[in-house]
Amino acid sequence: MDRQALGAQRKDSSQVTSSTQADVIIVGAGHGGAQCAIALRQNGFSGTIAMIGREPEPPYERPPLSKEYFAREKTFDRLYIRPPTFWEEKGVDLVLGTEVVSVDPSAKQVTLSNGSKMVYGTLVWATGGDPRRLNCPGGELAGLHPVRTRADCDQLMGEIDGGVRNIVVIGGGYIGLEAAAVLTKLGCRVTLLEALPRVLARVAGEELSAFYEKEHRGHGVDLRTGVAVEGLEGEGRVTGVRLADGTVIPADAVIVGIGIVPAVGPLIAAGAAGGNGVDVDEYCRTSLPDIYAIGDCAAFACSYAGGTVMRVESVQNANDMGTCVAKAICGEPQPYHAFPWFWSNQYDLRLQTAGISLGYTETIVRGDPAARSFSVVYLKDGKVIALDCVNAVKDYVQGRKLVEAATSPDRKQLADAEVPLKQLLPA
């Protein structure tokens, strides 16, 4: 089918017919899916492309949802990954407001939530994940909010505009901390609950956790660690959060930021290998023929984590995997070996992370956390494997080169903030 027949335009699910097909179907309209479509055209792919998205909006940036958009510092039109007209201009057919519910690898066909079917030549699975929900009494009450989509944020922002002020944030990861920072700025009374002994326990060392706990408490957040949520109270709408010790925290609304569940059900049901996500090889191929997977939902052997099979939830990973798949489809396959990096904005603090600290055996702090500009360097068997840099851009830029080079620098020099990290690179 040629591009004109495909339509090369935005469709909603009611417009999809049983005869629709495309050379490449991308399932998911987030960062990874959008980048894959962009990279296909950049690499000279002239076939038909269709991108299926659950939300009604064209592809948009997700990180600002819990930061600038939530804080009203950016309007939604500034979040588009590309202007809405871009997709039609590039011949990318947007099929929005629907999702894939099943995959038939033998027929090379997907079924959509409205019963329509689409035939593909190559399938790229870029669905990310669904917010993990609370598994406790009261989990069905109104007033519980994930922060994953525009609709999630708009609903919560509407409630705040309507007078909601007491907000409990469940989860001390980056999403929960970023939301707490914005809510505090908006004048809300925020209680943040983390079940583990410290915030960011799964992704950072104790030094960074202690720093952010102090910052949030200094900004008025009632931050509690090592607490378990037993249930939510209220009739129809949440009015409080009950802890395991019997304490009830009043709540006009609750933000649930306890991670995601990879959205890979249809692929696994179709026979794809996977457990925590769907497994992919070094070219982002699943175990099913002509089906790739990228982004938050894809589990791969990460060379920057000692070959550990893992999912990496970041814009960088989604984008770079999208480019990797596009090159493979265009006949120029290159193994995925992109450098992992992350960031988080909270208050006036800019955190930049280079590498993955999984399995670290030692940490070294450069600078003074009290000065609100410092870095935590993670080492494993003497080699630098990652850095967390708070308001320390030079450390981040130069430190990633230490990670890439797998250097084992002198610890005294590494701890001296007056010694530029670039001087520790091997000659």
Side-chain angles (χ1 to χ4, degrees):
M1 179 177 287
D2 61 25
R3 189 180 304 168
Q4 185 176 5
L6 183 62
Q9 60 186 355
R10 171 177 172 173
K11 295 178 178 143
D12 62 31
S13 60
S14 65
Q15 294 174 294
V16 178
T17 68
S18 59
S19 61
T20 301
Q21 59 181 332
D23 296 319
V24 175
I25 291 181
I26 300 170
V27 184
H31 287 275
Q35 178 58 29
C36 185
I38 292 168
L40 280 169
R41 293 302 187 218
Q42 289 175 336
N43 283 272
F45 183 77
S46 59
T48 52
I49 303 172
M51 188 187 309
I52 302 172
R54 179 188 298 179
E55 297 178 69
E57 295 89 2
Y60 64 90
E61 297 180 23
R62 308 302 166 122
L65 289 177
S66 59
K67 307 177 185 73
E68 297 95 335
Y69 181 67
F70 197 20
R72 322 294 175 96
E73 295 169 358
K74 276 189 177 181
T75 54
F76 188 77
D77 62 300
R78 295 176 59 194
L79 270 56
Y80 287 126
I81 292 175
R82 291 290 189 277
T85 56
F86 170 89
W87 305 105
E88 183 173 356
E89 293 167 358
K90 295 298 182 182
V92 178
D93 191 18
L94 299 184
V95 184
L96 304 176
T98 189
E99 59 186 312
V100 171
V101 296
S102 68
V103 178
D104 184 342
S106 58
K108 303 190 79 169
Q109 181 175 270
V110 298
T111 300
L112 306 186
S113 50
N114 72 339
S116 298
K117 299 181 186 299
M118 298 180 72
V119 177
Y120 63 85
T122 301
L123 188 67
V124 181
W125 199 265
T127 52
D130 298 314
R132 191 178 298 278
R133 301 193 178 279
L134 289 174
N135 184 23
C136 65
E140 74 291 343
L141 292 172
L144 272 64
H145 303 275
V147 185
R148 189 73 179 172
T149 67
R150 177 191 185 180
D152 294 336
C153 291
D154 285 351
Q155 184 178 10
L156 180 57
M157 288 160 62
E159 292 187 6
I160 292 173
D161 290 344
V164 164
R165 284 296 176 269
N166 286 323
I167 301 180
V168 174
V169 178
I170 300 176
Y174 286 120
I175 291 295
L177 293 175
E178 289 167 1
V182 173
L183 290 167
T184 300
K185 184 177 180 179
L186 295 176
C188 297
R189 293 178 290 275
V190 182
T191 302
L192 189 145
L193 307 175
E194 169 54 52
L196 295 176
R198 57 188 177 88
V199 301
L200 304 176
R202 294 184 176 90
V203 296
E206 294 182 5
E207 299 90 345
L208 196 74
S209 297
F211 172 77
Y212 275 104
E213 288 173 9
K214 183 177 179 180
E215 281 289 330
H216 280 274
R217 288 173 176 138
H219 281 85
V221 176
D222 181 1
L223 191 155
R224 310 184 192 187
T225 58
V227 294
V229 173
E230 188 174 86
L232 304 175
E233 299 193 343
E235 295 185 7
R237 182 179 176 86
V238 67
T239 59
V241 178
R242 185 174 68 257
L243 305 182
D245 64 3
T247 302
V248 176
I249 302 172
D252 301 326
V254 174
I255 291 179
V256 182
I258 54 175
I260 66 169
V261 178
V264 295
L267 273 192
I268 300 300
N276 180 19
V278 61
D279 295 341
V280 299
D281 66 9
E282 66 269 32
Y283 299 101
C284 300
R285 298 176 298 196
T286 72
S287 61
L288 299 175
D290 298 312
I291 299 180
Y292 296 82
I294 61 177
D296 291 3
C297 68
F300 65 103
C302 181
S303 58
Y304 287 96
T308 300
V309 175
M310 61 189 299
R311 294 183 303 104
V312 176
E313 297 176 15
S314 74
V315 171
Q316 166 273 316
N317 180 62
N319 283 343
D320 288 340
M321 277 189 155
T323 299
C324 175
V325 167
K327 289 181 177 179
I329 292 173
C330 291
E332 298 180 3
Q334 298 176 11
Y336 181 68
H337 186 64
F339 185 84
W341 52 268
F342 315 82
W343 82 94
S344 176
N345 294 334
Q346 300 169 46
Y347 307 112
D348 58 343
L349 301 168
R350 172 73 166 176
L351 169 66
Q352 295 170 287
T353 298
I356 295 175
S357 60
L358 182 69
Y360 70 89
T361 55
E362 181 182 359
T363 59
I364 292 176
V365 177
R366 284 172 56 86
D368 181 10
R372 306 176 83 242
S373 176
F374 69 102
S375 298
V376 180
V377 185
Y378 299 87
L379 298 97
K380 183 177 182 180
D381 301 326
K383 294 182 178 180
V384 177
I385 60 170
L387 297 91
D388 282 323
C389 306
V390 178
N391 291 346
V393 177
K394 286 185 178 180
D395 274 6
Y396 168 74
V397 172
Q398 298 175 18
R400 63 179 291 163
K401 296 178 181 178
L402 294 182
V403 178
E404 290 175 313
T407 54
S408 299
D410 177 82
R411 286 167 173 74
K412 185 175 181 181
Q413 288 186 308
L414 194 60
D416 188 348
E418 299 300 317
V419 177
L421 290 178
K422 63 183 179 181
Q423 292 187 12
L424 305 183
L425 284 167

